[in-house]
């Protein structure tokens, strides 16, 4: 079995815990890969996180941002999140239980041949046959080069070919249920309980705003943008593409979902931490 470990950058506690998990895995003859930043912190050989889709399990130690970083390289490999952050929507395992939780999954693989995991949808952004972004676990954002009064772009948003909204806006955000508590919430979008099969379409500071819309997971969302030199399309705030406009950007459910390993976090308990 091969396990990849990603620890929060600059967090000594996360690095120590990564080393402890690695020692446990070595005692069980499991191969351990550390991403390059984690490896530097504990002075071992590292592997780029982009190769972690070759692992059987990935362990993320930190907050939701660390989980998203791990997910960009993990593909459909299950990710077990250890929560060192304040809220922890994606990370259900406490630091005190981390070694035991990883050991349990290793033993489960030995017995059953697979990791316990649940699938969560991701959203894919692409422009024709020319470009596509790494699928987003939280959200894809399409926006002008600058936000604020006198900035923004002209957008036309269609769902399965039918017009939803058109006009001037800072941009558009399409979030998964997992991402409803992230950027979507700061843009006054609705909270969506995990497991609800839909994406959130949410315009950003539109002149003639429409309420956020939840569409089925198999819907095709197209965004025609104009009125500026370019727009920036980003996935989970990290993977970015600068697009010359006019352009039509297509947003759909990614073929490959993310897989979350281990126990499921208590969504409502995590919400209470936001107050």
């Amino acid at each position: 079995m091969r396990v990849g470990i990603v620890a929060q950058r600059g967090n000594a506690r996360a690095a120590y815990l990564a080393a402890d998990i690695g020692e446990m895995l070595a005692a069980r003859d499991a191969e351990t890969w550390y991403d390059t930043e984690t490896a530097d912190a504990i002075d071992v050989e590292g592997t780029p996180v982009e190769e972690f889709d070759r692992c059987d399990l990935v362990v993320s130690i930190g907050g939701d941002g660390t989980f998203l970083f791990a997910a960009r390289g993990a593909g459909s490999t299950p990710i077990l999140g250890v929560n060192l952050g304040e809220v922890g929507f994606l990370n259900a395992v406490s630091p005190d239980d981390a070694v035991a939780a990883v050991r349990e999954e290793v033993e489960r693989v030995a017995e059953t041949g697979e990791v316990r995991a649940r699938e969560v949808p991701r959203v894919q952004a692409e422009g024709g046959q020319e470009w596509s972004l790494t699928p987003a676990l939280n959200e894809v954002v399409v926006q002008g080069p600058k936000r604020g009064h006198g900035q923004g772009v002209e957008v036309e948003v269609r769902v399965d070919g039918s017009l939803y909204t058109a006009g001037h806006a800072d941009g558009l955000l399409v979030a998964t249920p997992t991402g409803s508590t992230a950027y979507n919430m700061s843009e006054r979008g609705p909270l969506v309980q995990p497991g609800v099969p839909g994406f959130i379409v949410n315009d950003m500071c539109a002149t003639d705003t429409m309420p956020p819309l939840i569409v089925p997971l198999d819907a095709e969302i197209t965004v025609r943008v104009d009125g500026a030199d370019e727009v920036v399309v980003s996935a989970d705030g990290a993977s970015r593409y600068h697009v010359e406009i006019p352009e039509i950007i297509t947003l759909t459910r990614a073929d490959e979902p993310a897989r979350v390993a281990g126990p499921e976090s208590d969504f409502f308990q995590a919400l209470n931490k936001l107050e």
Side-chain angles (χ1 to χ4, degrees), residues 251-262:
L251 304 165
T252 55
R253 181 180 187 173
D255 292 336
E256 188 176 66
R259 300 177 68 205
V260 182

Side-chain angles (χ1 to χ4, degrees), residues 9 36 38 66 96 110 120 123 127 148 189-190 194 205 233 249 272 274:
R9 296 180 181 182
T36 50
T38 303
T66 305
D96 291 341
V120 292
V123 58
C205 298
V233 187
I249 298 158
N272 289 333
L274 294 175

Side-chain angles (χ1 to χ4, degrees), residues 2-59:
R2 178 184 294 154
V3 179
I5 301 178
V6 180
Q8 188 176 48
R9 296 180 181 182
N11 188 322
R13 186 184 185 193
Y16 289 138
L17 189 50
D20 289 344
I21 293 172
E23 289 180 5
M24 180 275 294
L25 292 169
R28 283 160 175 74
D29 295 325
E31 183 180 3
T32 304
W33 283 6
Y34 301 93
D35 80 288
T36 50
E37 293 282 344
T38 303
D40 288 345
I42 61 177
D43 196 24
V44 297
E45 184 178 352
T47 302
V49 73
E50 291 79 11
E51 298 183 20
F52 276 25
D53 58 350
R54 296 163 55 194
C55 296
D56 300 294
L57 173 70
V58 172
V59 180

Side-chain angles (χ1 to χ4, degrees), residues 216-228:
L217 290 176
D218 61 357
E220 180 183 82
I221 303 154
T222 55
V223 187
R224 180 178 175 84
V225 286
D226 205 342

